[in-house]
Amino acid sequence: MIKSPRTTRKARAALTAAAVTGCLVTLSPSAGAAATAAAAPPGRVAVDVASVNGSGCRPGSATVAVAPDNSAFTVTYSEYLASAGGGVAATEGRKNCLLSLLVHVPQGYTYAVSHVDYRGYGKLEPGAIGTQKASYYFQGMSQTANRSHQFHGALDDNWQVTDTTGIEALVFAPCGEQRNFNINTELRAEVGTSDNSKTSYMTVDSTDGSINSVYHFSWKQCPVRR
């Protein structure tokens, strides 16, 4: 498996999104939460991995951590890489990961994910194409349309993209119910018009522990039941 060099990552401090095209998340708002946004709850928020499936994230290769102020949680991948060209098998050009998370929130609160920052590393030969996609949904609810970001070679640097949801379109977990939050992502590398003898790749891995995906919470207080 191709690994992006640690030294190159550390040497490049500026994150680039060369030739990136992004989509704005458009979702339907969910009922059951108060109309005004709330500050993050003071109690403990925990996120557990209920299941992980996909060619880009075998069990044990994705870890989750919650920010101390309950503003976000991070997902760190260690083996999420798609590559093409240079004799690499065609199956290596598309990798995916379906992550199902169990989010424990303090009583009286519910949450949505307002925006997501994805980071990784890309080594694309001139003419090669890299693509990152994602969709999100709560257990038992409809899956959103894919948000897609595309990169065009030449690229040899860190990359970062963001999926954003407008406040009016946030989908909150139903109050008083425990439903898994599902994240479905995909990573592609395509030869395109590049030299087929040379390898191009895209990663969302974290060889040196510095690259992760950040999911930002938006909080609301649930109505008091009488």
Side-chain angles (χ1 to χ4, degrees), residues 20-47:
V20 179
T21 56
C23 304
L24 198 64
V25 181
T26 54
L27 305 171
S28 299
S30 169
T36 56
R44 180 174 180 268
V45 174
V47 180

Side-chain angles (χ1 to χ4, degrees), residues 17-225:
V20 179
T21 56
C23 304
L24 198 64
V25 181
T26 54
L27 305 171
S28 299
S30 169
T36 56
R44 180 174 180 268
V45 174
V47 180
D48 298 324
V49 177
S51 65
V52 55
N53 293 287
S55 55
C57 58
R58 66 179 179 83
S61 67
T63 59
V64 181
V66 180
D69 62 357
N70 292 335
S71 64
F73 66 90
T74 62
V75 178
T76 304
Y77 302 93
S78 61
E79 299 179 359
Y80 206 163
L81 180 147
S83 56
V88 173
T91 54
E92 295 298 309
R94 176 187 177 275
K95 295 299 178 72
N96 72 294
C97 180
L98 177 57
L99 196 61
S100 185
L101 303 177
L102 192 59
V103 182
H104 306 276
V105 303
Q107 187 174 3
Y109 284 84
T110 186
Y111 73 94
V113 172
S114 60
H115 62 285
V116 186
D117 300 319
Y118 289 101
R119 300 180 177 92
Y121 193 89
K123 177 66 170 66
L124 300 176
E125 294 295 322
I129 302 168
T131 305
Q132 185 272 337
K133 294 182 179 180
S135 60
Y136 320 90
Y137 61 101
F138 289 104
Q139 180 182 8
M141 303 173 80
S142 298
Q143 184 166 328
T144 65
N146 280 324
R147 266 71 68 198
S148 179
H149 304 271
Q150 196 169 84
F151 303 79
H152 295 269
L155 174 67
D156 186 6
D157 210 341
N158 297 306
W159 59 264
Q160 177 176 338
V161 296
T162 299
D163 289 342
T164 304
T165 307
I167 188 67
E168 74 286 348
L170 288 175
V171 176
F172 286 83
C175 284
E177 297 184 24
Q178 183 65 68
R179 297 197 187 189
N180 288 8
F181 180 64
N182 299 312
I183 304 167
N184 193 5
T185 59
E186 179 180 319
L187 198 63
R188 287 180 181 265
E190 299 173 83
V191 172
T193 60
S194 70
D195 184 346
N196 191 50
S197 68
K198 297 182 178 180
T199 302
S200 294
Y201 62 88
M202 293 286 292
T203 77
V204 196
D205 69 355
S206 185
T207 303
D208 58 13
S210 65
I211 295 178
N212 50 43
S213 301
V214 184
Y215 297 79
H216 299 267
F217 284 124
S218 183
W219 294 99
K220 284 191 178 181
Q221 289 184 293
C222 295
V224 178
R225 295 184 178 181

